[in-house]
Every structure is written in structure tokens, then in C-alpha cells.
Amino acid sequence: MSGPAAGTAHAATSTDVVCLGESMVTFLPSQPGRLADVPSFGRGIGGAESNVACALAAAGHRAAWVGRVGADGFGDHLVETIASYGVDTSAVRRDPVRPTGIYFRTATDRGTDTHEVAYYRAGSAASAMSPENVPYEDLLAGRILHLSGITAALSADCLALLRDLTAPRPGRPLVSFDVNHRPHLWRGGEADASVLLELARRCDLVFVGEDEAEEAWGIVGAEAIRAALPEPAVVVVKRGSAGATVFSGTTVLSGLRPGPRSSNAGEAEDAAAGGADDAGAGGAESAAADGAGPDTVTLVPALRVDVVAAVGAGDAFAAGFLSATLRGLPVRERVRHGHLMAAAVLTVPGDLTDPPARDHADRLAALDDDAWGRLRLGPGWTAADRAPEEVRTP
């Protein structure tokens, strides 16, 4: 087996979620239009996994990001900015030869024909990640390890790393996997997007969009997606404006390692994991056991949002769902927290923003179905003090 020798499950861990992946410096346009016409760009950061880590840390969880950046100014900016959100970046490695990746994008929705992205990531420091050069002791130290299909597409070494991290092993943390299919990353490579299905089946919790499942695997519909992914304990199918459908087994991710009582996220999180044992945190084998028996199917409508920029919402949704999972909340509330975290990002120009205060989000997530259906969120909604201030009827 690549990486370290298999270990044993820990009784407790000081990290809630460890996120592995490439983060890049992103250049955001100063005005709408084609890249050829935009006169200037503002600098930000972007990366699916680091976005999740930043959102979780901002929400009060202990989050770490593990990645590889160049020994350059852009690498400095990435590490410093991610750390400023409260994320532990101590396990980030610097590559003395390969550069930090960067990209430019337009202001339009990623799903439209007018959206443009120009990536400069080939041969980046992150693409050199492999089972031989990442710190496994840090990767496996959290209650949850969050991965993305983007990493698998970066290089053969990165794919080998994800295959190793998703392999069953004693003491493996709960593995969360966001499919994150990016077609352009798979063009001309030795592997193709079908490998994402292989990886997803080895994980405990999977996030996948209906559209990307159809594009990557030719699978249409939420039920067909679950049928293709029978092993994970929980499969979250994102359905765009229709909301999300969650398929969960008879035990919903009970295998979280307990955290210390000093957790910023509160003792409720420890209680949620109190029944976990070594088998429950053992990875793919335990996922099949957790998912055994008939599924519970939970459908949660999306929110109505006055969108400023349709970027970063998927990462924010995953962060909200993971946050609520760490807290032991019911499945419906996990999805609603995902929608709320996504709404926070959708109502700002960039990929990251401060999430709503926890009690604020909890009040909204607890609304009855009618009130949830009337909820409409626009720019600045996270700063409101009371739930009624965000409720606007057309």
C-alpha cells in the first residue's frame, strides 16, 4: 500500500475536517464581458477543497487544508489568505521548481455558453502531489477527510493519491467526496471521468450534481445515481434550482471520530459521534455497512436567491452539509444548512464569504416548509439579526 502503514482508529482528534486539493490564485474581472475585453482583474483565491476548508473554519470548525504550492509569491498569497480564515495550513508543502497555478475567469455563470475560464495550471506544484510526498499523518488526522474529483484529474500521481486515500484501511476517517466533474481537465489524459465513479464508490459521503453525473457517466436521474453508487452511506444528489435529494442508509454516518470537549463547534458534535467505534470510522467497508438496508430519501427544495455571481456555491453547499453533519443534525437540516451556506456565496462576487452566524442559520434551517418556500435571500442577508428580516414575498 502507498503512503504510511495502516494505523488504528484514534479515540479523539483535534481536527474536524481535513481538505486535500489544489488551490490557485484567481483573477476576477473588473467588469462583465469577454476576457479579451476586460481591462483589469482583482486578485482572489479559488480551489474547491480550500473553499470548503475556509467556509468550515469561518463557521467555527477546526479545519485544515493540505496542498502543494510553488515557492513563489502566489503560493505565499494562497497560504496566507487561507490561513486568515482560521484554516490550519501547517501541512501545506512548497515546491521549489513548479509554480502555483493561476486562472482568469469572466463574471458570467459557469453554466452558460458565455462563461470563460483561462487556466494556467499545467505542471503546477499541486499536480505533483502523490502518495510519496503528501503528509499522511496530517491527512488522516481529522474526523472527516474531504476530497474532490478535480484532484484526480490533475495528473496520474494525483489519481494514484486519491485511489490510495479512498482505499479501505483501519482507522480511516470518514471520507467525503465531491465529484466536481470538470470536463476540460480530463481531455487528453490517460484516464477519463469514469474513474470518478470508481472513487466515489469507495467513499462514505458523496456529493454529485445530476448534470455532472449525466455528463461524466451517462447516468440520468437521482435514483439511477444512487443505484450506481450503492456503497456510500450517504449520497447527496444536487439538482440545481430543484434542490437536493439525499439517499441515506439505516445509519447516517455514525462513524465520526469524537472530537475533544473543547471543540469550538460545541459538545453536540461530540455527542453526535459518541457511539462511533473503530469499524464505524474504517472507510469504505463501514460505508457499505452503514448504507445497508432500505434508504431514507430526503428531498429538500432550494432557496430563492438574488444571485450576484454563480461561483463557489457547490463548495459552500458541501461545507454547510459537512458542518451540520459534524453537529449531528438531521438530514433535512444538513441539506438546508448546505443551501444557506451556498446562498451566502451566491450573493457576493467571489468564491468565499463569511457564513451566517450559527444561531441565525439554525433559525432559518428550522423554518416550516411553507416559510422555507417563501424565503428569498439577497446581498447582505447574512448580516441580518433575525430570521424575519430575510423573508420577502414576491
Side-chain angles (χ1 to χ4, degrees):
M1 179 182 69
S2 301
T8 57
H10 301 286
T13 176
S14 62
T15 304
D16 291 322
V17 182
V18 178
C19 302
L20 167 79
E22 179 174 35
S23 191
M24 295 180 289
V25 172
T26 177
F27 290 92
L28 309 174
S30 59
Q31 64 185 44
R34 303 182 309 155
L35 284 179
D37 300 327
V38 175
S40 60
F41 296 81
R43 185 181 64 176
I45 66 169
E49 302 85 0
S50 60
N51 286 350
V52 171
C54 289
L56 285 167
H61 298 281
R62 302 172 301 264
W65 173 62
V66 178
R68 192 174 181 88
V69 299
D72 50 34
F74 286 148
D76 293 341
H77 176 66
L78 276 176
V79 174
E80 292 167 5
T81 303
I82 293 169
S84 73
Y85 283 84
V87 176
D88 181 355
T89 59
S90 60
V92 175
R93 297 295 186 257
R94 307 300 291 260
D95 191 308
V97 178
R98 299 173 181 86
T100 302
I102 65 173
Y103 71 98
F104 297 76
R105 67 169 174 83
T106 53
T108 50
D109 187 341
R110 180 182 283 136
T112 67
D113 292 337
T114 59
H115 185 68
E116 295 177 73
V117 183
Y119 288 102
Y120 299 90
R121 73 196 310 177
S124 70
S127 69
M129 290 189 296
S130 75
E132 284 69 43
N133 64 17
V134 297
Y136 271 63
E137 66 277 11
D138 296 295
L139 283 172
L140 303 179
R143 299 171 68 190
I144 296 174
L145 172 62
H146 181 70
L147 307 171
S148 159
I150 294 173
T151 305
L154 296 180
S155 68
D157 282 342
C158 285
L159 175 55
L161 174 60
L162 258 62
R163 280 180 165 144
D164 195 48
L165 290 172
T166 57
R169 71 177 74 212
R172 191 186 87 172
L174 187 149
V175 177
S176 164
F177 184 72
D178 193 336
V179 170
N180 257 331
H181 177 231
R182 299 288 186 266
H184 66 277
L185 290 178
W186 293 98
R187 295 181 188 131
E190 295 179 9
D192 60 41
S194 63
V195 77
L196 297 175
L197 184 60
E198 168 203 330
L199 293 170
R201 293 183 64 177
R202 294 151 65 104
C203 299
D204 304 295
L205 165 61
V206 174
F207 300 95
V208 60
E210 270 190 328
D211 54 346
E212 61 186 351
E214 182 175 1
E215 186 173 21
W217 308 328
I219 298 173
V220 180
E223 291 77 13
I225 292 170
R226 177 51 162 169
L229 294 168
E231 294 87 356
V234 174
V235 175
V236 182
V237 180
K238 297 176 290 184
R239 305 174 58 214
S241 61
T245 300
V246 180
F247 299 88
S248 51
T250 53
T251 304
V252 184
L253 298 182
S254 63
L256 283 173
R257 296 174 182 169
R261 288 292 175 182
S262 60
S263 167
N264 292 335
E267 294 187 4
E269 297 178 13
D270 300 332
D277 55 23
D278 290 357
E285 293 176 334
S286 68
D290 275 345
D295 269 333
T296 297
V297 182
T298 307
L299 289 77
V300 181
L303 289 164
R304 290 180 295 171
V305 179
D306 297 330
V307 176
V308 172
V311 292
D315 305 329
F317 178 91
F321 191 96
L322 290 173
S323 173
T325 297
L326 286 162
R327 298 171 61 202
L329 299 183
V331 172
R332 187 191 74 157
E333 277 65 36
R334 298 182 194 193
V335 181
R336 284 188 169 189
H337 276 278
H339 286 321
L340 289 165
M341 197 83 86
V345 170
L346 287 169
T347 50
V348 298
D351 291 15
L352 292 168
T353 189
D354 291 332
R358 178 170 292 185
D359 59 348
H360 182 181
D362 283 345
R363 288 195 299 271
L364 295 182
L367 291 172
D368 61 38
D369 289 344
D370 287 341
W372 178 263
R374 292 195 304 270
L375 195 61
R376 182 167 184 168
L377 304 176
W381 74 269
T382 58
D385 292 328
R386 294 188 303 160
E389 295 179 32
E390 295 96 38
V391 179
R392 304 204 311 271
T393 54

